[in-house]
Amino acid sequence: MSTHEELRAIALSEFASAGYAATSLQRIAELAGVSKSSVLYHFASKEQLLESVIGPALDRMDGVLALLENSGSVSDSQAFLEVFVDFLLLHRLEVNMFINQGPSLVDVPVVDRANSIVARLATFFSQNTQSLEDNMRFGIALGGAAYMLCTTHAHGIEFPADETRAALITIMSELLAPVSTR
């Protein structure tokens, strides 16, 4: 693993566990066994490092959401759920950061972008379900899955990936089964 990638991995882990505000570039440097100036060589600022850490996950979620928006319907929710669960499993630390830290990181561009994607997702379901109850089902299913994966990982609880994926898709499908679309 290159120094650049190692710094990103360490930063993601520290930002997710200790919090972005509480994690210093010096701490990341110490954990990587390099100097702070080496971190700054790879990333001009802590904010740029955060962008590097979260940006790829946001790009992927933006793509997932664009597919959903282009379909204009929640009728194929099973396919969306599978893609969404795969996203959560691959990017659980990034999701943990913008679920748990997003509200406190005001005016941080990458966090604003994450919040915007979450708002787009909520708006899509709000506009494409027939009732408040159906809209809430989507919110509970998606948000609950994301929160569960984030908190279990934060507490050192790990489930086998294949079993977790299958269980989440089954449970979320059951939660959304009664949803009627426009």
Side-chain angles (χ1 to χ4, degrees):
M1 179 183 305
S2 72
T3 301
H4 185 84
E5 290 303 312
E6 183 179 6
L7 290 170
R8 286 181 71 241
I10 289 168
L12 175 59
S13 178
E14 285 299 298
F15 290 160
S17 62
Y20 174 75
T23 301
S24 68
L25 289 178
Q26 183 62 44
R27 171 74 177 151
I28 293 166
E30 288 169 6
L31 291 171
V34 299
S35 67
K36 182 178 174 181
S37 62
S38 181
V39 175
L40 289 168
Y41 171 80
H42 291 278
F43 303 97
S45 66
K46 185 170 137 180
E47 192 172 295
Q48 185 186 62
L49 179 55
L50 179 65
E51 169 65 42
S52 174
V53 166
I54 295 180
L58 295 179
D59 293 342
R60 182 161 182 190
M61 186 59 205
D62 194 41
V64 169
L65 184 52
L67 290 173
L68 189 62
E69 290 170 333
N70 290 337
S71 77
S73 169
V74 295
S75 60
D76 192 13
S77 59
Q78 187 66 30
F80 171 74
L81 288 180
E82 291 176 13
V83 172
F84 186 77
V85 167
D86 290 341
F87 166 78
L88 289 177
L89 289 169
L90 184 62
H91 297 288
R92 70 178 71 187
L93 290 179
E94 294 93 327
V95 171
N96 178 18
M97 287 187 61
F98 54 79
I99 285 176
N100 293 317
Q101 298 177 51
S104 66
L105 297 176
V106 179
D107 296 326
V108 176
V110 72
V111 175
D112 291 344
R113 183 173 163 222
N115 290 334
S116 173
I117 290 171
V118 171
R120 276 178 47 215
L121 186 63
T123 298
F124 177 84
F125 287 114
S126 175
Q127 293 173 347
N128 290 281
T129 54
Q130 290 187 0
S131 70
L132 176 62
E133 184 177 303
D134 288 347
N135 189 12
M136 292 179 92
R137 285 180 193 282
F138 274 100
I140 291 168
L142 275 56
Y147 189 76
M148 189 274 311
L149 281 175
C150 293
T151 56
T152 55
H153 182 78
H155 294 293
I157 302 167
E158 296 293 331
F159 302 113
D162 289 344
E163 289 178 44
T164 300
R165 181 182 189 275
L168 282 173
I169 291 170
T170 297
I171 293 165
M172 291 170 75
S173 296
E174 290 169 359
L175 283 171
L176 298 175
V179 171
S180 53
T181 61
R182 289 184 181 160

